Amino acid sequence: MLAKLSKHFVDTTSFKINSINLWSDSKVALTWINSHPSKWKDFVKNRVFSIQEMSPSAIWRHVPGKDNPADSASRGLFTTQLIQDKLWWHGPSWLLKSEDSWPAQGESLDVTSLPEQRKHVTLK
């Protein structure tokens, strides 16, 4: 959904865009997206291919769950609470600072540990 939204924004805006940073709190999804689609079983492969095609120049980054604004709505907040939720309306405070202040990205997950990895068959 994020890849579709960013593509739509890029395609319809007249803003000059220098770079695109897309955020996810799922390290598994980021590992998929940052790998070649052929590494994954068909469902994931097709999703990854589509995401990479829609956002070829995007930089995908990890946002800690506690700093993810999307989680505010999914945690069962009442609308009266969501209206006052600063994270929902303004995002994490570090996002307004320089990139040096953003959360460290750490390493990707080990691809071989993910069950979605396509098994390779060697013929003799």
Side-chain angles (χ1 to χ4, degrees):
M1 197 158 59
L2 180 56
K4 286 181 184 179
L5 177 63
S6 69
K7 179 175 177 11
H8 177 74
F9 180 81
V10 168
D11 291 347
T12 59
T13 189
S14 59
F15 292 112
K16 181 181 184 309
I17 299 172
N18 296 324
S19 67
I20 298 171
N21 290 278
L22 302 177
W23 299 83
S24 173
D25 64 356
S26 171
K27 288 187 177 186
V28 171
L30 289 170
T31 300
W32 293 343
I33 293 166
N34 289 319
S35 300
H36 194 277
S38 66
K39 287 186 182 250
W40 311 113
K41 293 179 182 175
D42 288 343
F43 179 79
V44 174
K45 175 183 79 174
N46 294 335
R47 290 291 180 132
V48 168
F49 179 79
S50 178
I51 289 167
Q52 290 176 349
E53 191 174 57
M54 284 186 275
S55 58
S57 62
I59 300 165
W60 285 88
R61 298 178 179 267
H62 181 256
V63 60
K66 66 180 179 55
D67 291 338
N68 184 0
D71 282 358
S72 296
S74 65
R75 287 192 179 133
L77 292 180
F78 294 107
T79 53
T80 54
Q81 294 169 307
L82 196 57
I83 288 170
Q84 299 173 15
D85 190 303
K86 290 181 181 179
L87 183 60
W88 174 259
W89 293 104
H90 302 285
S93 59
W94 48 259
L95 196 55
L96 296 173
K97 299 176 183 174
S98 72
E99 252 184 84
D100 298 339
S101 301
W102 293 358
Q105 292 304 292
E107 294 184 29
S108 295
L109 299 176
D110 177 17
V111 173
T112 60
S113 69
L114 298 177
E116 299 82 9
Q117 182 184 22
R118 180 179 294 281
K119 304 232 183 313
H120 296 282
V121 177
T122 304
L123 300 175
K124 292 183 180 184

